Amino acid sequence: MSTVTEAGRYLTFTLNGEAYALDIFHVTEIIEYRPLTVVPMMPDFIRGVINLRGRAVPVIDIAIRFARGSTVIGRRTSIIIVHIQDPALAEMADLDGDGKGLADGQDIGILVDSATKVVTLAPSDIEPAPAFGAGIRADYISGMARRDDDFLILLDISHVLSISDMVRLSDLAQESAPTEGGGVPVGSEPP
């Protein structure tokens, strides 16, 4: 879990009425919501992909990822494009031999109710992540920033969007997928 030792700039956004922030270092751009191309057989939290200057960028609904329902598309709905590095990406690099592996990282879109503003937070403004009580996994939170009479949840985007974690969740979802007829998953042999 990362700890904040110097002042940093954070992009704040809302998601199902809660205030969140992520380090601006990871944000490459913010775009207005646009229709997504749905990709079959993807986990529910991957809402689809967008064409971003000729590249297919997956869009993650972190409300679903946090088990908080799904993001309702509205007038202010935005997609925050973040660039992440993940050790699992290096393993996936160049598996097809085309020289275009993912070793340099991956752009991923995050679907949010609205992106609000960029704030500067000093280390004294930030408390360590709670071990419980925020309603999401503790390793997804890098800290809690005091704000008026409330808190701003600072996300550790490298954990929230961990490719290896998302692949594991996708595999678990497929293993527990409904089966046809006799209780044996489609395409598998009975024991």
Side-chain angles (χ1 to χ4, degrees), residues 105-140:
Q106 170 74 38
D107 285 338
I108 296 179
I110 301 172
L111 191 61
V112 299
D113 292 336
S114 66
T116 47
K117 62 183 174 181
V118 175
V119 297
T120 301
L121 298 173
S124 60
D125 297 329
I126 301 172
E127 294 185 9
F132 61 90
I136 59 177
R137 285 178 31 180
D139 62 329
Y140 288 179

Side-chain angles (χ1 to χ4, degrees), residues 6 15 43 46 51 55 57 59 77 83 90 96 102 112 123 142 146 159-160 164 187:
E6 59 186 53
L15 186 66
I46 300 177
N51 181 341
R55 293 174 299 137
V57 175
V59 177
T77 303
H83 188 80
D96 61 1
L102 298 172
V112 299
S142 63
R146 286 182 292 282
H159 281 100
V160 172
S164 53

